[in-house]
Amino acid sequence: MDMQLSGRVAVVTGASKGIGLAVVRTLLDEGVRVVATSRKPTPDLDALAGPNLRHVPVDLMDPDAPAQIIATAVAEFGALDILVNNAGGPPPGVTLPRTSFLDAGDEEWRDVFEFNLFSVVRTIRAALPHLIERGGGSIVNISSVNARQPSSMNVDYGAAKAALTNMAKVVAVEFGSQGVRVNTVSPGPVRTAWWTDEGGVADIIAERAGSDRDTVMDSLVPEMMGLVTGRLVDPQEVADAVVLLASPRSAGTTGADLAVDGGYLKAV
């Protein structure tokens, strides 16, 4: 299927690995010119280097970073058509998971909201004038199933993502008449570095459960979370949903929240 994306310009945050890297790779394959942002590049992102890719090293905890990213995209490629707000998860210096509401104080809550909500608000605010000038475009925000399924694990993260999902629907309504579509993709547990790195979530759970990293990811977590597919989600599966929503093929879809979660969410 032709996604009708060739020649368009996209910004992807959190682009150096995992879901963000898969989104960048897929957009490039569709002929999109991409500004990819992360605190630093990775060998996997560097391997995608070419005339259609520009990496901007920024820290989204800096309130000025979003405007810098959007300005770079317009300066480099002349326009903006697509914004993928993928950056999220634990802010720099924060280790997740937390297992109780009492595990995080005010500063931890502020940092999680700064990274997972306020940086997205600022990036959308910076992007909207350019999308409107272009006659419309697509914003896709990466949220989480924790936005829809409250949990005592990482409660601050889940609350920030719930706010993100709510905000996206509001922006979709306000700017839909100007051609701007806003949708959300909510992944379940995805096999990314957050799980697989040494000292990552899989190791933390394995230590508490008296197990090992591979068992945690291959069977313990899928069973514990009731994943219908019996496995963690692959980053490419999330990227495919993102690119479909970014495409004019989804012109009739806005204000939606698409779960790519292995069947974790079961409520109607």
Side-chain angles (χ1 to χ4, degrees):
M1 179 189 295
D2 178 9
M3 291 288 105
Q4 302 175 3
L5 288 170
S6 182
R8 295 178 189 253
V9 179
V11 164
V12 181
T13 68
S16 63
K17 56 187 177 181
I19 294 170
L21 180 68
V23 170
V24 171
R25 184 185 297 114
T26 307
L27 288 172
L28 289 172
D29 288 344
E30 293 292 332
V32 178
R33 293 171 288 173
V34 181
V35 170
T37 77
S38 60
R39 286 191 294 275
K40 57 185 179 181
T42 60
D44 287 336
L45 183 59
D46 289 341
L48 301 177
N52 284 346
L53 178 63
R54 169 81 154 84
H55 177 253
V56 180
V58 295
D59 182 352
L60 285 169
M61 297 294 281
D62 176 1
D64 295 327
Q68 176 189 341
I69 296 164
I70 301 302
T72 299
V74 174
E76 288 283 328
F77 297 126
L80 180 67
D81 302 292
I82 299 163
L83 170 61
V84 180
N85 288 303
N86 169 69
V94 172
T95 299
L96 296 178
R98 301 191 234 270
T99 57
S100 168
F101 172 78
L102 297 175
D103 285 349
D106 286 359
E107 184 175 351
E108 288 82 6
W109 273 80
R110 276 191 288 267
D111 284 347
V112 166
F113 268 71
E114 184 71 33
F115 191 43
N116 289 278
L117 177 63
F118 297 139
S119 70
V120 178
V121 169
R122 295 182 185 115
T123 308
I124 292 175
R125 187 186 294 138
L128 276 170
H130 300 284
L131 295 173
I132 293 169
E133 181 183 358
R134 190 74 158 166
S138 177
I139 298 172
V140 183
N141 300 314
I142 306 302
S143 185
S144 168
V145 291
N146 284 357
R148 294 163 58 181
Q149 181 59 56
S151 170
S152 59
M153 181 172 285
N154 302 328
V155 61
D156 46 348
Y157 171 77
K161 290 297 191 180
L164 172 63
T165 299
N166 182 289
M167 179 269 295
K169 290 182 177 290
V170 172
V171 178
V173 170
E174 181 172 355
F175 295 96
S177 63
Q178 297 178 73
V180 179
R181 296 185 300 109
V182 187
N183 292 290
T184 302
V185 174
S186 291
V190 181
R191 191 177 282 266
T192 62
W194 192 62
W195 284 88
T196 61
D197 276 356
E198 185 174 351
V201 177
D203 281 348
I204 293 171
I205 294 175
E207 182 178 358
R208 294 173 181 174
S211 184
D212 61 83
R213 181 191 306 174
D214 290 339
T215 300
V216 165
M217 289 187 290
D218 292 343
S219 60
L220 183 59
V221 167
E223 291 173 8
M224 180 177 64
M225 297 187 70
L227 302 184
V228 175
T229 59
R231 60 174 177 82
L232 272 63
V233 175
D234 186 272
Q236 186 61 53
E237 294 167 334
V238 183
D240 290 342
V242 170
V243 173
L244 178 60
L245 288 172
S247 164
R249 292 283 188 175
S250 294
T253 303
T254 192
D257 180 27
L258 177 60
V260 184
D261 63 352
Y264 170 69
L265 292 174
K266 298 175 180 65
V268 176

